[in-house]
Amino acid sequence: MKDVVKNVDDLVRLIMANHEREEFYKHAALITKNAALYSLFHEFAYQSQVLKDHLSRWLIAYGSAQALDLTKDTMYRKALRWMKFEVAYKRRTLQDCCSTVEAMTQKEYQSVVNDTKLSQATLRELSQHLSGLESSAKQLTEVLIRSVENEANQNSSVTVA
């Protein structure tokens, strides 16, 4: 019984992490002025929505019919709220916050995968989720590097009259 409760708690943690990641990227898409980032942020928000759906199915398979409280004030949620504030007031760059969100989400997954009694089928799927999140982080890094290079090129091509 104790293992079932822990399994459900672990799945809920991952659902919450994906929910917060989705909300962060929806917010990030609203404030970015870069078209490539805008598109990527929507893609990441959608990715987290799909991952939440998959995790919810596992939650049901483990016998949990509990309604999730997606408003619960977790440390993860507090950190994301703080990042939104810092970006809004230009204390941290949006790119830095995105990298932090990706690292935090991957850390949640890694923690659950390493310390859980979930079935092999569930762990395989979680490993696929983690692999997808790692690919997203690499894609984010590439787009961020290109956008910084484009900004530098635009700034260097401006001539002073």
Side-chain angles (χ1 to χ4, degrees), residues 77-93:
R77 171 166 264 175
K78 289 176 186 174
L80 289 177
R81 194 170 46 237
W82 183 248
M83 280 189 270
K84 287 179 188 178
F85 172 81
E86 288 186 331
V87 167
Y89 290 97
K90 310 237 185 296
R91 292 182 180 170
R92 275 176 83 180
T93 66

Side-chain angles (χ1 to χ4, degrees), residues 31-90:
I31 63 174
T32 189
K33 292 173 177 51
N34 181 305
L37 287 175
Y38 178 85
S39 176
L40 190 63
F41 293 162
H42 277 287
E43 184 180 318
F44 286 0
Y46 179 73
Q47 178 188 36
S48 280
Q49 180 183 4
V50 169
L51 294 177
K52 281 187 334 188
D53 291 345
H54 290 188
L55 292 165
S56 294
R57 288 186 202 119
W58 280 113
L59 200 57
I60 292 166
Y62 279 93
S64 177
Q66 73 183 44
L68 295 180
D69 180 8
L70 296 177
T71 62
K72 186 177 176 184
D73 211 17
T74 63
M75 289 302 289
Y76 191 87
R77 171 166 264 175
K78 289 176 186 174
L80 289 177
R81 194 170 46 237
W82 183 248
M83 280 189 270
K84 287 179 188 178
F85 172 81
E86 288 186 331
V87 167
Y89 290 97
K90 310 237 185 296

Side-chain angles (χ1 to χ4, degrees), residues 3 16 29 43 47 49 51 56 58 75 83 89 95 107 142 146 156-157 159-160:
D3 285 345
M16 293 292 292
E43 184 180 318
Q47 178 188 36
Q49 180 183 4
L51 294 177
S56 294
W58 280 113
M75 289 302 289
M83 280 189 270
Y89 290 97
Q95 293 84 350
K107 185 177 176 182
E142 291 168 5
R146 280 196 307 270
S156 66
S157 67
T159 56
V160 178

Side-chain angles (χ1 to χ4, degrees), residues 21 25 40 43-44 47 51 102 106 127-143:
R21 181 176 180 261
Y25 281 117
L40 190 63
E43 184 180 318
F44 286 0
Q47 178 188 36
L51 294 177
E102 291 304 300
Q106 288 177 38
S127 294
Q128 291 171 347
H129 289 194
L130 184 56
S131 177
L133 291 167
E134 289 168 349
S135 294
S136 295
K138 288 177 186 172
Q139 186 180 8
L140 175 66
T141 301
E142 291 168 5
V143 170

